[in-house]
Every structure is written in C-alpha cells, then in structure tokens.
Amino acid sequence: MKNRIGTIAKKELARFFGDKRVALTTLLLPGILIYVLYTFMGSALSNMYSVDDAYAFRLSAVNLPASIQSAAEAGGLSFSPIGQDQVDSAKQELEDKELDLCAVFPENFDEAMTAYDSSSGQPAPQVSLYFNSTSSTSSQAYQLVTGLLDGYESALANKFDVNHGGETYDLASQKDTTGTVFASMLPMLLMLFLFSGCMAVAPESIAGEKERGTIATLLVTPMKRSDLAIGKILALALIALLSGISSALGTVLALPKLMGAASDQLNANVYTPADYALLGVVILSSVLLLITLISLVSCFARTIKEAQTAVIPLMIVVMFIGITAMFGDGARTEWFYYLIPLYNSVQCMVGIFSFDIEPALILATVLSNLVYTGMGVFLLTKMFNSERIMFSK
C-alpha cells in the first residue's frame, strides 16, 4: 500500500517539478512578487503622506497676531499676511494646490484671548484654518499649525503638563507591537496564500487528468482508489505548502517596509523556533484540508477552467474566515472553536502570532483537520469509484 501511495505521489511530483517554468511560477515567483509589490506599496504610501524636510510651506494669514507669528517663526514656519478680501482667492489657490494653508484670525486676537472667560458661556475666539486634504503638503501644514495653536492655547493657562518629561511613556515592547500587527494581518494573508497554492495545483491534477483522458489509465491500474486519493493529496499538499511558504516569506520580509514609520517596531525575530514549529504544524494540517476540499470540487469539473471557476466560492469563504483575525482581542479560548474547519487554523495563527496560545488548542485543531482530511479522502475515493463522476462529458 505504501509503495502504491509513494508511486502516485512521485508521479505527481515528477510531473510538477519536471516543468521548470511551472515550478518557478508556482514556488518562487509568488514570494518574489509579493516582496517587490509590498516594498513598492510601502514606498509609495510613505511618499504620499510625507513631506521633504527642506520643503518651505506656503502659508497665508489674515490678522496674524504678533505672538503667533513669533511662535511660528521659532518653529520654522512663515506666514504671508493677506487681507480679509483676499480669503476667497486664497481658497481658490488651496483648491488648485498652489497654497498649503490659509489661517483667518479675528481682529485683536490676543486681547480677545486674554479677556475671554470660559465660564461666561460666550463662544471662544474662532480661528479658521483652510487647507486641502488631498495635498500631502497641505495636510502636513494643517497638522503643524494646529499643533502650534494648541501649544499656544496651553501656554496661556498652563496648570499641568502631560508626558512632558524625557521618559518613555509607551510601555509596549517591540514584541507586543509585532505580535499585534502580525496577529491581525498574517493569518488572513497566510490562508489566502495557502489556498492560492492549493488552487494552482489541485485542479490541474484532478480535472486536468480528466480533461486529458489520462485519469482512465490510473483508474484501471491494480490499486485501491484510496491509495490513488492519498497519493495525490500528499503530493499536492507538499507542492502547495512550498508555494505558501514562499509567499509567506515574501510577506514577512516586506511587511516592515509596507508599515512605513512603524517598521522599526516590527521584528520577526521575536518569535522562537518553537513558535515557528507550532505554526508549521498548523499550516501543514490546514494545507492537507484545503487541498482535499479543492480536490473534491475539482472531481466534479470536466476541465481545469471549470474547476478553477467552481473553487471561487470556497476561496471567498476562506477569505472571510481569514478576515476574522482582524476582529476581537486575541485568539478564542473556548475549545469548541478549534473544531470548526479553517476557522480553527486562523485562531491558532492569531494565538501564535500574539504569543497567547494553548498547546491543547493547537492539538485539537491539528487532530480535527486530520479527521476532516480523512473524511475528504474517503469521499474522494468514492468519487474515483464513480464512473458517472469521473467520465462525465
């Protein structure tokens, strides 16, 4: 039996790795493309929301108080004074992105601020800041001027300070930050990558054999149909696993670049070999289940294209299950969640990435995935025995 399963597995592996172009595009290309894409996305996002340090903001102001002007110059900002009748033209310049910000102060602003009593119930002096949020320089100018005015307001009645010392007040460690980010994003990405790897090989192996007519040769050989099913699933799972690992490595390496300013707080080295081992076990059991599910769907298809189309609803389900990692606060603790196929894998990944997982829950997930895989192999065997399914036109 083992020899027959091994023979089928070797045949599938030889067919796949025998075509170097297919092996390259399935195993190496996904990881490389993901790394390059995420790196460029991170650079693009960084350029979109950042402003060159040497950039001189174009600012105009109506009734600019001397106190605000002094504070602005100390912060490296310079306002061009304009009259009230020029506000409309300044707004047009903002729309045309020829101006970064226009500040309109009421007359005698300093005196009004000094005389204002918050308990009087009267409205406070109003400062209007006009800007264009679609311009990175305008948005940055708005943030700088808003911070300047907030600091000026606090200085008028400074009764206490908040986090004014030189200490580090954010006590989240690099490990905590990495765990939070990875636990919310990677489970969904990993499930999609694993599914993509399975989808790239399973329809070709099942529906492709039917389309080419070679499945008949396999079915007439003196072997159990269960051996045929197990051999195919093991070989396809190995190929899909390699494809998923390639994509996952590309994601982990590129994620800090994609996060931009927060990249200094992300470091995959905070995970131990034991964490990676647990993750590997969960991924392996998940791949076995995914490849079995896609193989079952592919059995009903007559062509590769038909199989790929039929698998799309399953892909949507996997996507929605992966998104659940972004909700909630850490992994579920109730054991019965770890009996739900695919959802249990996502919860295990969340727990591993957030450093909050019970080995018993991982064991429950792996065992349940293997049970579901065994059930799928049994169904696949029955389908191989059905001439109506295997030889349908």
Side-chain angles (χ1 to χ4, degrees), residues 347-392:
Q347 289 303 305
C348 280
M349 292 178 188
V350 171
I352 292 170
F353 286 125
S354 60
F355 311 98
D356 182 26
I357 189 62
E358 292 290 336
L361 298 179
I362 291 184
L363 180 60
T365 295
V366 173
L367 291 178
S368 62
N369 284 345
L370 292 178
V371 170
Y372 296 133
T373 300
M375 295 169 59
V377 170
F378 176 77
L379 292 176
L380 194 60
T381 302
K382 293 295 185 182
M383 295 173 72
F384 281 161
N385 283 320
S386 173
E387 294 186 3
R388 184 176 60 85
I389 294 176
M390 301 311 297
F391 301 105
S392 59

mmCIF file of all heavy atoms in Angstrom, residues 347-392:
data_model
loop_
_atom_site.group_PDB
_atom_site.id
_atom_site.type_symbol
_atom_site.label_atom_id
_atom_site.label_comp_id
_atom_site.label_asym_id
_atom_site.label_seq_id
_atom_site.Cartn_x
_atom_site.Cartn_y
_atom_site.Cartn_z
ATOM 1 N N GLN A 347 -7.580 30.912 14.125
ATOM 2 C CA GLN A 347 -7.469 31.218 15.550
ATOM 3 C C GLN A 347 -6.133 30.759 16.120
ATOM 4 O O GLN A 347 -5.538 31.439 16.959
ATOM 5 C CB GLN A 347 -8.625 30.578 16.311
ATOM 6 C CG GLN A 347 -9.974 31.219 16.067
ATOM 7 C CD GLN A 347 -9.974 32.702 16.403
ATOM 8 O OE1 GLN A 347 -9.629 33.095 17.517
ATOM 9 N NE2 GLN A 347 -10.333 33.529 15.438
ATOM 10 N N CYS A 348 -5.650 29.626 15.669
ATOM 11 C CA CYS A 348 -4.329 29.155 16.116
ATOM 12 C C CYS A 348 -3.236 30.118 15.669
ATOM 13 O O CYS A 348 -2.315 30.436 16.432
ATOM 14 C CB CYS A 348 -4.049 27.761 15.584
ATOM 15 S SG CYS A 348 -4.835 26.433 16.507
ATOM 16 N N MET A 349 -3.326 30.590 14.428
ATOM 17 C CA MET A 349 -2.336 31.538 13.933
ATOM 18 C C MET A 349 -2.376 32.834 14.729
ATOM 19 O O MET A 349 -1.332 33.404 15.070
ATOM 20 C CB MET A 349 -2.585 31.823 12.448
ATOM 21 C CG MET A 349 -2.326 30.647 11.533
ATOM 22 S SD MET A 349 -2.704 31.045 9.803
ATOM 23 C CE MET A 349 -2.543 29.429 9.032
ATOM 24 N N VAL A 350 -3.581 33.308 15.044
ATOM 25 C CA VAL A 350 -3.710 34.520 15.854
ATOM 26 C C VAL A 350 -3.045 34.310 17.208
ATOM 27 O O VAL A 350 -2.291 35.170 17.704
ATOM 28 C CB VAL A 350 -5.198 34.893 16.048
ATOM 29 C CG1 VAL A 350 -5.343 36.017 17.075
ATOM 30 C CG2 VAL A 350 -5.815 35.317 14.723
ATOM 31 N N GLY A 351 -3.303 33.163 17.820
ATOM 32 C CA GLY A 351 -2.716 32.876 19.121
ATOM 33 C C GLY A 351 -1.206 32.778 19.070
ATOM 34 O O GLY A 351 -0.507 33.279 19.958
ATOM 35 N N ILE A 352 -0.673 32.148 18.036
ATOM 36 C CA ILE A 352 0.779 32.000 17.913
ATOM 37 C C ILE A 352 1.440 33.350 17.690
ATOM 38 O O ILE A 352 2.441 33.689 18.339
ATOM 39 C CB ILE A 352 1.123 31.027 16.765
ATOM 40 C CG1 ILE A 352 0.678 29.606 17.130
ATOM 41 C CG2 ILE A 352 2.623 31.048 16.472
ATOM 42 C CD1 ILE A 352 0.765 28.621 15.978
ATOM 43 N N PHE A 353 0.890 34.150 16.786
ATOM 44 C CA PHE A 353 1.495 35.454 16.489
ATOM 45 C C PHE A 353 1.368 36.426 17.663
ATOM 46 O O PHE A 353 2.193 37.323 17.816
ATOM 47 C CB PHE A 353 0.868 36.064 15.237
ATOM 48 C CG PHE A 353 1.310 35.412 13.966
ATOM 49 C CD1 PHE A 353 0.384 34.892 13.074
ATOM 50 C CD2 PHE A 353 2.654 35.299 13.656
ATOM 51 C CE1 PHE A 353 0.786 34.282 11.891
ATOM 52 C CE2 PHE A 353 3.070 34.692 12.470
ATOM 53 C CZ PHE A 353 2.137 34.182 11.591
ATOM 54 N N SER A 354 0.342 36.276 18.477
ATOM 55 C CA SER A 354 0.151 37.167 19.628
ATOM 56 C C SER A 354 0.711 36.581 20.925
ATOM 57 O O SER A 354 0.467 37.125 21.995
ATOM 58 C CB SER A 354 -1.339 37.499 19.797
ATOM 59 O OG SER A 354 -2.088 36.314 20.014
ATOM 60 N N PHE A 355 1.430 35.461 20.819
ATOM 61 C CA PHE A 355 2.066 34.820 21.975
ATOM 62 C C PHE A 355 1.054 34.406 23.034
ATOM 63 O O PHE A 355 1.316 34.480 24.228
ATOM 64 C CB PHE A 355 3.113 35.755 22.616
ATOM 65 C CG PHE A 355 4.071 36.344 21.632
ATOM 66 C CD1 PHE A 355 3.883 37.628 21.130
ATOM 67 C CD2 PHE A 355 5.160 35.616 21.176
ATOM 68 C CE1 PHE A 355 4.766 38.172 20.209
ATOM 69 C CE2 PHE A 355 6.046 36.150 20.249
ATOM 70 C CZ PHE A 355 5.850 37.437 19.767
ATOM 71 N N ASP A 356 -0.118 33.987 22.587
ATOM 72 C CA ASP A 356 -1.167 33.617 23.529
ATOM 73 C C ASP A 356 -1.919 32.401 22.990
ATOM 74 O O ASP A 356 -3.007 32.518 22.434
ATOM 75 C CB ASP A 356 -2.128 34.805 23.738
ATOM 76 C CG ASP A 356 -3.219 34.484 24.741
ATOM 77 O OD1 ASP A 356 -2.993 33.621 25.614
ATOM 78 O OD2 ASP A 356 -4.312 35.092 24.649
ATOM 79 N N ILE A 357 -1.332 31.241 23.158
ATOM 80 C CA ILE A 357 -1.949 30.039 22.617
ATOM 81 C C ILE A 357 -1.701 28.872 23.555
ATOM 82 O O ILE A 357 -0.650 28.772 24.192
ATOM 83 C CB ILE A 357 -1.402 29.718 21.207
ATOM 84 C CG1 ILE A 357 -2.200 28.587 20.541
ATOM 85 C CG2 ILE A 357 0.069 29.381 21.276
ATOM 86 C CD1 ILE A 357 -3.644 28.907 20.309
ATOM 87 N N GLU A 358 -2.680 28.009 23.653
ATOM 88 C CA GLU A 358 -2.563 26.795 24.465
ATOM 89 C C GLU A 358 -2.214 25.621 23.559
ATOM 90 O O GLU A 358 -2.868 25.411 22.531
ATOM 91 C CB GLU A 358 -3.884 26.516 25.187
ATOM 92 C CG GLU A 358 -4.249 27.534 26.257
ATOM 93 C CD GLU A 358 -3.333 27.439 27.459
ATOM 94 O OE1 GLU A 358 -2.749 26.353 27.680
ATOM 95 O OE2 GLU A 358 -3.190 28.452 28.170
ATOM 96 N N PRO A 359 -1.176 24.855 23.885
ATOM 97 C CA PRO A 359 -0.823 23.690 23.054
ATOM 98 C C PRO A 359 -1.988 22.726 22.856
ATOM 99 O O PRO A 359 -2.111 22.116 21.795
ATOM 100 C CB PRO A 359 0.320 23.037 23.841
ATOM 101 C CG PRO A 359 0.932 24.162 24.628
ATOM 102 C CD PRO A 359 -0.209 25.060 24.980
ATOM 103 N N ALA A 360 -2.864 22.618 23.867
ATOM 104 C CA ALA A 360 -4.013 21.714 23.743
ATOM 105 C C ALA A 360 -4.945 22.164 22.629
ATOM 106 O O ALA A 360 -5.536 21.336 21.918
ATOM 107 C CB ALA A 360 -4.764 21.639 25.068
ATOM 108 N N LEU A 361 -5.076 23.488 22.441
ATOM 109 C CA LEU A 361 -5.946 24.004 21.384
ATOM 110 C C LEU A 361 -5.331 23.758 20.009
ATOM 111 O O LEU A 361 -6.046 23.475 19.042
ATOM 112 C CB LEU A 361 -6.202 25.497 21.602
ATOM 113 C CG LEU A 361 -6.927 25.857 22.909
ATOM 114 C CD1 LEU A 361 -7.092 27.368 23.030
ATOM 115 C CD2 LEU A 361 -8.279 25.163 22.973
ATOM 116 N N ILE A 362 -4.019 23.864 19.922
ATOM 117 C CA ILE A 362 -3.352 23.543 18.657
ATOM 118 C C ILE A 362 -3.515 22.065 18.343
ATOM 119 O O ILE A 362 -3.765 21.673 17.194
ATOM 120 C CB ILE A 362 -1.867 23.934 18.730
ATOM 121 C CG1 ILE A 362 -1.729 25.449 18.775
ATOM 122 C CG2 ILE A 362 -1.104 23.368 17.538
ATOM 123 C CD1 ILE A 362 -0.307 25.946 18.751
ATOM 124 N N LEU A 363 -3.391 21.230 19.368
ATOM 125 C CA LEU A 363 -3.575 19.787 19.173
ATOM 126 C C LEU A 363 -4.987 19.485 18.693
ATOM 127 O O LEU A 363 -5.181 18.669 17.780
ATOM 128 C CB LEU A 363 -3.290 19.048 20.479
ATOM 129 C CG LEU A 363 -3.433 17.517 20.442
ATOM 130 C CD1 LEU A 363 -2.465 16.919 19.429
ATOM 131 C CD2 LEU A 363 -3.229 16.924 21.825
ATOM 132 N N ALA A 364 -5.977 20.168 19.274
ATOM 133 C CA ALA A 364 -7.365 19.971 18.850
ATOM 134 C C ALA A 364 -7.550 20.384 17.395
ATOM 135 O O ALA A 364 -8.253 19.719 16.618
ATOM 136 C CB ALA A 364 -8.299 20.762 19.755
ATOM 137 N N THR A 365 -6.909 21.486 17.015
ATOM 138 C CA THR A 365 -7.004 21.962 15.628
ATOM 139 C C THR A 365 -6.382 20.968 14.655
ATOM 140 O O THR A 365 -6.986 20.618 13.629
ATOM 141 C CB THR A 365 -6.295 23.322 15.494
ATOM 142 O OG1 THR A 365 -7.002 24.290 16.269
ATOM 143 C CG2 THR A 365 -6.245 23.783 14.048
ATOM 144 N N VAL A 366 -5.177 20.517 14.962
ATOM 145 C CA VAL A 366 -4.477 19.596 14.066
ATOM 146 C C VAL A 366 -5.242 18.275 13.935
ATOM 147 O O VAL A 366 -5.435 17.763 12.820
ATOM 148 C CB VAL A 366 -3.043 19.341 14.573
ATOM 149 C CG1 VAL A 366 -2.368 18.246 13.748
ATOM 150 C CG2 VAL A 366 -2.228 20.626 14.513
ATOM 151 N N LEU A 367 -5.695 17.746 15.054
ATOM 152 C CA LEU A 367 -6.433 16.482 15.013
ATOM 153 C C LEU A 367 -7.742 16.620 14.246
ATOM 154 O O LEU A 367 -8.101 15.751 13.440
ATOM 155 C CB LEU A 367 -6.698 15.977 16.435
ATOM 156 C CG LEU A 367 -5.467 15.494 17.217
ATOM 157 C CD1 LEU A 367 -5.861 15.066 18.629
ATOM 158 C CD2 LEU A 367 -4.781 14.345 16.489
ATOM 159 N N SER A 368 -8.466 17.711 14.480
ATOM 160 C CA SER A 368 -9.738 17.903 13.769
ATOM 161 C C SER A 368 -9.495 18.096 12.273
ATOM 162 O O SER A 368 -10.241 17.566 11.432
ATOM 163 C CB SER A 368 -10.492 19.099 14.341
ATOM 164 O OG SER A 368 -9.757 20.304 14.182
ATOM 165 N N ASN A 369 -8.419 18.825 11.902
ATOM 166 C CA ASN A 369 -8.107 18.990 10.482
ATOM 167 C C ASN A 369 -7.760 17.656 9.829
ATOM 168 O O ASN A 369 -8.138 17.388 8.680
ATOM 169 C CB ASN A 369 -6.950 19.969 10.307
ATOM 170 C CG ASN A 369 -7.365 21.419 10.499
ATOM 171 O OD1 ASN A 369 -8.553 21.728 10.489
ATOM 172 N ND2 ASN A 369 -6.403 22.298 10.684
ATOM 173 N N LEU A 370 -7.033 16.819 10.561
ATOM 174 C CA LEU A 370 -6.688 15.499 10.025
ATOM 175 C C LEU A 370 -7.931 14.623 9.880
ATOM 176 O O LEU A 370 -8.051 13.858 8.913
ATOM 177 C CB LEU A 370 -5.657 14.817 10.928
ATOM 178 C CG LEU A 370 -4.260 15.460 10.953
ATOM 179 C CD1 LEU A 370 -3.353 14.718 11.928
ATOM 180 C CD2 LEU A 370 -3.647 15.467 9.557
ATOM 181 N N VAL A 371 -8.853 14.736 10.829
ATOM 182 C CA VAL A 371 -10.101 13.974 10.744
ATOM 183 C C VAL A 371 -10.907 14.419 9.523
ATOM 184 O O VAL A 371 -11.407 13.597 8.740
ATOM 185 C CB VAL A 371 -10.926 14.124 12.028
ATOM 186 C CG1 VAL A 371 -12.329 13.547 11.838
ATOM 187 C CG2 VAL A 371 -10.235 13.417 13.189
ATOM 188 N N TYR A 372 -11.022 15.754 9.348
ATOM 189 C CA TYR A 372 -11.747 16.268 8.184
ATOM 190 C C TYR A 372 -11.055 15.860 6.884
ATOM 191 O O TYR A 372 -11.716 15.558 5.878
ATOM 192 C CB TYR A 372 -11.863 17.789 8.264
ATOM 193 C CG TYR A 372 -12.669 18.284 9.439
ATOM 194 C CD1 TYR A 372 -12.209 19.319 10.239
ATOM 195 C CD2 TYR A 372 -13.889 17.692 9.753
ATOM 196 C CE1 TYR A 372 -12.949 19.772 11.317
ATOM 197 C CE2 TYR A 372 -14.632 18.136 10.833
ATOM 198 C CZ TYR A 372 -14.156 19.168 11.620
ATOM 199 O OH TYR A 372 -14.885 19.604 12.707
ATOM 200 N N THR A 373 -9.710 15.840 6.897
ATOM 201 C CA THR A 373 -8.974 15.406 5.715
ATOM 202 C C THR A 373 -9.255 13.933 5.414
ATOM 203 O O THR A 373 -9.454 13.542 4.253
ATOM 204 C CB THR A 373 -7.467 15.627 5.921
ATOM 205 O OG1 THR A 373 -7.206 17.017 6.140
ATOM 206 C CG2 THR A 373 -6.680 15.157 4.708
ATOM 207 N N GLY A 374 -9.269 13.116 6.468
ATOM 208 C CA GLY A 374 -9.591 11.692 6.286
ATOM 209 C C GLY A 374 -10.976 11.495 5.709
ATOM 210 O O GLY A 374 -11.179 10.637 4.824
ATOM 211 N N MET A 375 -11.935 12.286 6.185
ATOM 212 C CA MET A 375 -13.285 12.204 5.633
ATOM 213 C C MET A 375 -13.296 12.610 4.159
ATOM 214 O O MET A 375 -13.995 12.017 3.327
ATOM 215 C CB MET A 375 -14.228 13.092 6.450
ATOM 216 C CG MET A 375 -14.408 12.638 7.896
ATOM 217 S SD MET A 375 -15.258 13.876 8.936
ATOM 218 C CE MET A 375 -16.807 14.053 8.074
ATOM 219 N N GLY A 376 -12.489 13.641 3.838
ATOM 220 C CA GLY A 376 -12.410 14.074 2.443
ATOM 221 C C GLY A 376 -11.781 13.020 1.547
ATOM 222 O O GLY A 376 -12.219 12.817 0.411
ATOM 223 N N VAL A 377 -10.755 12.350 2.064
ATOM 224 C CA VAL A 377 -10.121 11.268 1.299
ATOM 225 C C VAL A 377 -11.113 10.139 1.048
ATOM 226 O O VAL A 377 -11.159 9.555 -0.048
ATOM 227 C CB VAL A 377 -8.879 10.740 2.051
ATOM 228 C CG1 VAL A 377 -8.356 9.454 1.395
ATOM 229 C CG2 VAL A 377 -7.784 11.798 2.080
ATOM 230 N N PHE A 378 -11.922 9.845 2.054
ATOM 231 C CA PHE A 378 -12.948 8.805 1.894
ATOM 232 C C PHE A 378 -13.932 9.193 0.790
ATOM 233 O O PHE A 378 -14.275 8.365 -0.074
ATOM 234 C CB PHE A 378 -13.684 8.599 3.223
ATOM 235 C CG PHE A 378 -14.815 7.630 3.149
ATOM 236 C CD1 PHE A 378 -14.582 6.254 3.130
ATOM 237 C CD2 PHE A 378 -16.133 8.077 3.083
ATOM 238 C CE1 PHE A 378 -15.635 5.349 3.043
ATOM 239 C CE2 PHE A 378 -17.184 7.190 3.004
ATOM 240 C CZ PHE A 378 -16.939 5.820 2.988
ATOM 241 N N LEU A 379 -14.386 10.455 0.801
ATOM 242 C CA LEU A 379 -15.310 10.915 -0.242
ATOM 243 C C LEU A 379 -14.633 10.916 -1.608
ATOM 244 O O LEU A 379 -15.254 10.570 -2.630
ATOM 245 C CB LEU A 379 -15.819 12.317 0.097
ATOM 246 C CG LEU A 379 -16.742 12.435 1.303
ATOM 247 C CD1 LEU A 379 -17.075 13.901 1.579
ATOM 248 C CD2 LEU A 379 -18.028 11.648 1.069
ATOM 249 N N LEU A 380 -13.354 11.314 -1.642
ATOM 250 C CA LEU A 380 -12.630 11.342 -2.909
ATOM 251 C C LEU A 380 -12.487 9.920 -3.478
ATOM 252 O O LEU A 380 -12.591 9.708 -4.695
ATOM 253 C CB LEU A 380 -11.254 11.971 -2.697
ATOM 254 C CG LEU A 380 -10.476 12.398 -3.944
ATOM 255 C CD1 LEU A 380 -11.263 13.430 -4.734
ATOM 256 C CD2 LEU A 380 -9.111 12.946 -3.553
ATOM 257 N N THR A 381 -12.273 8.956 -2.591
ATOM 258 C CA THR A 381 -12.201 7.554 -3.017
ATOM 259 C C THR A 381 -13.515 7.106 -3.639
ATOM 260 O O THR A 381 -13.545 6.440 -4.682
ATOM 261 C CB THR A 381 -11.845 6.657 -1.822
ATOM 262 O OG1 THR A 381 -10.599 7.086 -1.266
ATOM 263 C CG2 THR A 381 -11.741 5.203 -2.248
ATOM 264 N N LYS A 382 -14.622 7.462 -2.988
ATOM 265 C CA LYS A 382 -15.935 7.124 -3.526
ATOM 266 C C LYS A 382 -16.157 7.761 -4.899
ATOM 267 O O LYS A 382 -16.746 7.147 -5.794
ATOM 268 C CB LYS A 382 -17.030 7.584 -2.556
ATOM 269 C CG LYS A 382 -17.057 6.826 -1.232
ATOM 270 C CD LYS A 382 -17.407 5.361 -1.446
ATOM 271 C CE LYS A 382 -17.558 4.624 -0.127
ATOM 272 N NZ LYS A 382 -17.858 3.176 -0.342
ATOM 273 N N MET A 383 -15.670 8.992 -5.047
ATOM 274 C CA MET A 383 -15.842 9.681 -6.328
ATOM 275 C C MET A 383 -14.984 9.023 -7.411
ATOM 276 O O MET A 383 -15.396 8.927 -8.573
ATOM 277 C CB MET A 383 -15.480 11.162 -6.171
ATOM 278 C CG MET A 383 -16.430 11.907 -5.233
ATOM 279 S SD MET A 383 -15.932 13.595 -4.868
ATOM 280 C CE MET A 383 -16.291 14.381 -6.424
ATOM 281 N N PHE A 384 -13.794 8.557 -7.055
ATOM 282 C CA PHE A 384 -12.951 7.849 -8.014
ATOM 283 C C PHE A 384 -13.618 6.537 -8.468
ATOM 284 O O PHE A 384 -13.364 6.056 -9.572
ATOM 285 C CB PHE A 384 -11.586 7.546 -7.409
ATOM 286 C CG PHE A 384 -10.651 8.733 -7.397
ATOM 287 C CD1 PHE A 384 -9.550 8.758 -6.547
ATOM 288 C CD2 PHE A 384 -10.856 9.812 -8.238
ATOM 289 C CE1 PHE A 384 -8.689 9.831 -6.529
ATOM 290 C CE2 PHE A 384 -9.997 10.908 -8.230
ATOM 291 C CZ PHE A 384 -8.913 10.914 -7.373
ATOM 292 N N ASN A 385 -14.421 5.970 -7.597
ATOM 293 C CA ASN A 385 -15.124 4.725 -7.916
ATOM 294 C C ASN A 385 -16.374 4.962 -8.763
ATOM 295 O O ASN A 385 -16.977 4.006 -9.248
ATOM 296 C CB ASN A 385 -15.527 3.984 -6.635
ATOM 297 C CG ASN A 385 -14.344 3.266 -6.002
ATOM 298 O OD1 ASN A 385 -13.524 2.678 -6.695
ATOM 299 N ND2 ASN A 385 -14.246 3.319 -4.683
ATOM 300 N N SER A 386 -16.779 6.219 -8.901
ATOM 301 C CA SER A 386 -17.992 6.537 -9.645
ATOM 302 C C SER A 386 -17.657 6.858 -11.098
ATOM 303 O O SER A 386 -17.013 7.874 -11.386
ATOM 304 C CB SER A 386 -18.707 7.733 -8.989
ATOM 305 O OG SER A 386 -19.797 8.158 -9.772
ATOM 306 N N GLU A 387 -18.084 6.018 -12.001
ATOM 307 C CA GLU A 387 -17.841 6.265 -13.420
ATOM 308 C C GLU A 387 -18.612 7.484 -13.910
ATOM 309 O O GLU A 387 -18.162 8.203 -14.804
ATOM 310 C CB GLU A 387 -18.233 5.039 -14.239
ATOM 311 C CG GLU A 387 -17.357 3.817 -13.978
ATOM 312 C CD GLU A 387 -17.696 2.670 -14.906
ATOM 313 O OE1 GLU A 387 -18.568 2.869 -15.783
ATOM 314 O OE2 GLU A 387 -17.101 1.577 -14.757
ATOM 315 N N ARG A 388 -19.771 7.711 -13.318
ATOM 316 C CA ARG A 388 -20.591 8.862 -13.735
ATOM 317 C C ARG A 388 -19.863 10.172 -13.458
ATOM 318 O O ARG A 388 -19.936 11.119 -14.241
ATOM 319 C CB ARG A 388 -21.926 8.843 -12.981
ATOM 320 C CG ARG A 388 -22.893 9.958 -13.426
ATOM 321 C CD ARG A 388 -24.209 9.819 -12.713
ATOM 322 N NE ARG A 388 -24.055 9.908 -11.270
ATOM 323 C CZ ARG A 388 -24.017 11.081 -10.615
ATOM 324 N NH1 ARG A 388 -24.119 12.223 -11.288
ATOM 325 N NH2 ARG A 388 -23.918 11.095 -9.307
ATOM 326 N N ILE A 389 -19.137 10.233 -12.333
ATOM 327 C CA ILE A 389 -18.413 11.447 -11.985
ATOM 328 C C ILE A 389 -17.101 11.551 -12.764
ATOM 329 O O ILE A 389 -16.763 12.604 -13.302
ATOM 330 C CB ILE A 389 -18.141 11.497 -10.466
ATOM 331 C CG1 ILE A 389 -19.463 11.619 -9.690
ATOM 332 C CG2 ILE A 389 -17.206 12.661 -10.121
ATOM 333 C CD1 ILE A 389 -19.276 11.588 -8.194
ATOM 334 N N MET A 390 -16.344 10.467 -12.841
ATOM 335 C CA MET A 390 -15.011 10.508 -13.438
ATOM 336 C C MET A 390 -15.021 10.550 -14.950
ATOM 337 O O MET A 390 -14.070 11.039 -15.557
ATOM 338 C CB MET A 390 -14.201 9.292 -12.960
ATOM 339 C CG MET A 390 -14.026 9.196 -11.444
ATOM 340 S SD MET A 390 -13.472 10.751 -10.692
ATOM 341 C CE MET A 390 -11.879 10.955 -11.481
ATOM 342 N N PHE A 391 -16.072 10.054 -15.570
ATOM 343 C CA PHE A 391 -16.094 10.016 -17.028
ATOM 344 C C PHE A 391 -17.255 10.814 -17.614
ATOM 345 O O PHE A 391 -17.717 10.541 -18.727
ATOM 346 C CB PHE A 391 -16.167 8.563 -17.524
ATOM 347 C CG PHE A 391 -15.011 7.732 -17.058
ATOM 348 C CD1 PHE A 391 -15.187 6.795 -16.041
ATOM 349 C CD2 PHE A 391 -13.764 7.896 -17.593
ATOM 350 C CE1 PHE A 391 -14.116 6.034 -15.601
ATOM 351 C CE2 PHE A 391 -12.678 7.146 -17.162
ATOM 352 C CZ PHE A 391 -12.854 6.197 -16.150
ATOM 353 N N SER A 392 -17.747 11.783 -16.865
ATOM 354 C CA SER A 392 -18.838 12.623 -17.356
ATOM 355 C C SER A 392 -18.322 13.531 -18.473
ATOM 356 O O SER A 392 -17.189 14.003 -18.438
ATOM 357 C CB SER A 392 -19.408 13.468 -16.217
ATOM 358 O OG SER A 392 -18.398 14.306 -15.656
#
